[in-house]
Amino acid sequence: MSLARVDYIPPWWTYWLHNFPHINLRFQPTDKSFQPEDDNYQQSLIFLGCVAAAGLGLNLLCLAIYLSCLCCCRKEEEEESKKPNSCCVTWSAVAAGLITCVAVGVGFYGNSETNDGVYQLTYSVYNANHSLGGVDSLVTGTMGSMKSGLHLHLARLDEIFATRGDYVQTLQFMQQMADNVIKQLLGLPDWENAKLDLASIADQTANIEYYRWLTYLLLLIVDLIICLLACLGLAKQSRWLLTTMMVFGVLALILSWTSLGADLATAVGTSDFCVSPDKFIMSQTKGIISADIVHYYLYCNQTLSNPFQQPLTIFQRSLTTMQIQIQGLLQIAVPLFPSAERDLLGIQRLLNSSEASLHQLTALLDCRGLNKDYLDAMVGVCYDGVEGLLYLCLFSILTACAFTVMLCAIPRAWRQIACRERDYDDIDEEDPFNPRARRMGSQNPNHANMHSFCSYSSSMGSQNSLHPPAPAVSNAPMSEYMNQTALFGGNPRYENVPLIGRGSPPPSIYSQQYRNRYSPTMRATYLSMTEEQSRHFGNDFQA
């Protein structure tokens, strides 16, 4: 692990985000170092959220201007063309749907990446907290056994060996060794405060991440549902569904910009930490753990001396000396004082357990374990976490664009639906040229003898089998008759020919009666049908 520090290199996107302008609410530049407790630094992150809010206001202003122009600058019905507008609405809906699908895919990926990074961070913090808890438990247990268990056995042996001064002197030497071990253990840092801080940080981070992940999951589903329902409303031409989706589209647009501001501020703040995490950790542990110990765990270089090497060495030597003394007493004093064997064996078991605790303590205090947890946490939060936040920012931008396009397309679709309904309502129910009237007439037996203008057949057999009524004569002058014919695009060569088998007056006479009842679109359809019918009739008549 001599090159453990090289294992963590901040990714390029953290430097890119770290170089974002840090400006407080008074529009003054602030320090870019990660200082979450500083007011100016907090204001610099809030300023990024305000930038997103300004983007939301500009987006809503553009939509309001667009809708105002769409409502105020209406063209005349004669100049409207449904096909281009329909294509515009269709392509806008397709674009909004595709952008939403891409945005939802990017959002799911970003949400998963962020969750993975935060999970790796919390897992590493919990693991480090477990290591520190193990160190604290071993130190506390060893000190307790030395103070209580060893002291009790030595007090009994002191009574047994009261007549032997050399044995009593050996027991006093062992007591000094035990006090020396306790002294070295007390010299180790108190990990209790650091353990509690790590535990609270991990718990708070896990809770916040859970609600963040769940919120984004619901937001992704809601965005997708709104887009699908809007497309369904366009396909079904449902005005109430389009109106509802327009309201929800505005809310989704606001949520997109809000999430963009929150994600951007979080990404910039996290990147400020990832650029120099050791500096922040050193400042936070100041007064709790010595700087050389923190430096030892952060860098874990073989060139750095282990700050625990001396107390652990003294601990090991003291235990070895005490074991040698106990072994000698078992060989020499037990034959003379058989009652001392039980206490001597109890001290030997206590020293063996203390030696095992020493080996575990040496392994836990080694820098490689905690440094690995530190590197895993940094990789999780700075690589996966910040990368996921960038994807979530992209998701917010794409959804904002998609809902902007959708909000622009829905009013146009509304106008098209309204125009079609108005044109359909303009048709006279009693007009025999109305296809709906023909369908009603075919279903109504009282109107079974009424023939529509479009019911003509070019078959000669059908013409011979029909009894044509007397041709209708127009009372209008010839000039007015010709003008009417020219107005509706009729051919004057066939205007005065009897309409065999139709039971309806000439087109120019009937159009004079219903001229004011048709919209331009219906008149165009009427003229095309008239020309086609007149052409077929003229050919059959000449034949």
Side-chain angles (χ1 to χ4, degrees), residues 75-387:
K75 298 180 180 179
E76 297 294 335
E77 292 185 354
E78 291 78 7
E79 299 178 357
E80 289 182 352
S81 178
K82 291 183 180 180
K83 185 176 180 180
N85 291 335
S86 299
C87 292
C88 180
V89 172
T90 301
W91 284 110
S92 298
V94 170
L98 291 178
I99 295 175
T100 303
C101 293
V102 173
V104 170
V106 171
F108 272 111
Y109 178 76
N111 196 31
S112 177
E113 283 292 303
T114 305
N115 183 259
D116 292 341
V118 176
Y119 174 78
Q120 187 172 352
L121 170 65
T122 55
Y123 178 79
S124 300
V125 172
Y126 279 127
N127 196 17
N129 184 71
H130 177 72
S131 299
L132 296 180
V135 171
D136 186 71
S137 176
L138 289 174
V139 171
T140 303
T142 303
M143 290 178 61
S145 62
M146 288 292 177
K147 288 181 179 180
S148 60
L150 183 62
H151 179 74
L152 180 62
H153 289 298
L154 291 176
R156 292 175 182 173
L157 291 174
D158 188 65
E159 295 177 358
I160 296 173
F161 297 150
T163 59
R164 295 293 302 265
D166 54 345
Y167 294 165
V168 173
Q169 187 177 2
T170 301
L171 295 177
Q172 291 177 354
F173 179 75
M174 292 179 62
Q175 183 64 47
Q176 292 177 358
M177 292 293 101
D179 294 338
N180 193 18
V181 169
I182 294 174
K183 181 180 178 181
Q184 299 302 321
L185 292 177
L186 289 174
L188 295 177
D190 186 10
W191 301 102
E192 187 66 25
N193 295 331
K195 181 167 67 76
L196 292 177
D197 290 341
L198 289 179
S200 61
I201 291 173
D203 292 337
Q204 292 177 4
T205 304
N207 291 331
I208 293 173
E209 171 57 22
Y210 172 75
Y211 289 108
R212 186 211 61 82
W213 174 83
L214 183 61
T215 301
Y216 264 99
L217 183 63
L218 295 177
L219 181 61
L220 290 167
I221 296 174
V222 168
D223 288 345
L224 188 60
I225 290 176
I226 291 175
C227 182
L228 292 178
L229 291 180
C231 294
L232 179 63
L234 291 174
K236 296 292 186 180
Q237 295 185 358
S238 175
R239 299 175 68 176
W240 70 268
L241 185 57
L242 289 177
T243 303
T244 305
M245 290 305 103
M246 190 170 184
V247 173
F248 282 102
V250 173
L251 296 178
L253 183 64
I254 296 174
L255 289 178
S256 298
W257 282 100
T258 303
S259 63
L260 176 61
D263 293 335
L264 183 60
T266 306
V268 172
T270 308
S271 298
D272 293 337
F273 168 76
C274 292
V275 168
S276 57
D278 48 358
K279 181 179 179 181
F280 175 74
I281 294 175
M282 294 282 287
S283 64
Q284 291 296 312
T285 55
K286 186 177 181 180
I288 301 176
I289 304 174
S290 62
D292 57 342
I293 295 177
V294 178
H295 192 271
Y296 169 72
Y297 284 114
L298 291 180
Y299 294 94
C300 193
N301 198 319
Q302 287 184 355
T303 59
L304 299 174
S305 61
N306 189 348
F308 308 108
Q309 186 65 39
Q310 183 178 357
L312 292 176
T313 302
I314 295 176
F315 188 6
Q316 177 67 43
R317 290 176 180 177
S318 300
L319 288 178
T320 303
T321 302
M322 294 171 67
Q323 287 176 346
I324 294 174
Q325 297 295 328
I326 291 297
Q327 189 67 28
L329 290 175
L330 285 173
Q331 294 177 358
I332 300 174
V334 169
L336 300 176
F337 301 95
S339 60
E341 182 178 7
R342 188 182 65 177
D343 291 318
L344 290 175
L345 291 177
I347 293 175
Q348 189 178 38
R349 288 192 298 268
L350 189 149
L351 293 176
N352 290 334
S353 64
S354 298
E355 186 177 8
S357 299
L358 173 64
H359 292 310
Q360 296 179 11
L361 186 62
T362 303
L364 290 175
L365 290 176
D366 189 78
C367 66
R368 288 174 292 183
L370 290 178
N371 182 260
K372 181 180 181 301
D373 296 332
Y374 165 73
L375 294 177
D376 290 342
M378 291 300 100
V379 170
V381 69
C382 299
Y383 280 82
D384 295 338
V386 178
E387 182 184 6

Side-chain angles (χ1 to χ4, degrees), residues 339-463:
S339 60
E341 182 178 7
R342 188 182 65 177
D343 291 318
L344 290 175
L345 291 177
I347 293 175
Q348 189 178 38
R349 288 192 298 268
L350 189 149
L351 293 176
N352 290 334
S353 64
S354 298
E355 186 177 8
S357 299
L358 173 64
H359 292 310
Q360 296 179 11
L361 186 62
T362 303
L364 290 175
L365 290 176
D366 189 78
C367 66
R368 288 174 292 183
L370 290 178
N371 182 260
K372 181 180 181 301
D373 296 332
Y374 165 73
L375 294 177
D376 290 342
M378 291 300 100
V379 170
V381 69
C382 299
Y383 280 82
D384 295 338
V386 178
E387 182 184 6
L389 289 175
L390 289 177
Y391 279 109
L392 289 178
C393 291
L394 179 59
F395 154 75
S396 300
I397 295 174
L398 290 177
T399 51
C401 295
F403 286 114
T404 301
V405 174
M406 187 184 72
L407 292 175
C408 291
I410 288 179
R412 287 187 172 273
W414 179 282
R415 287 188 60 187
Q416 289 183 13
I417 296 172
C419 291
R420 290 174 182 174
E421 291 180 353
R422 184 169 59 251
D423 291 341
Y424 195 71
D425 293 337
D426 288 341
I427 302 175
D428 191 356
E429 297 292 341
E430 299 179 356
D431 184 6
F433 298 99
N434 181 10
R436 183 169 60 183
R438 291 200 306 272
R439 289 194 299 268
M440 294 175 61
S442 61
Q443 297 174 1
N444 191 353
N446 297 328
H447 297 82
N449 295 327
M450 184 177 65
H451 299 279
S452 174
F453 174 75
C454 301
S455 62
Y456 171 74
S457 175
S458 59
S459 174
M460 294 301 295
S462 300
Q463 294 179 13

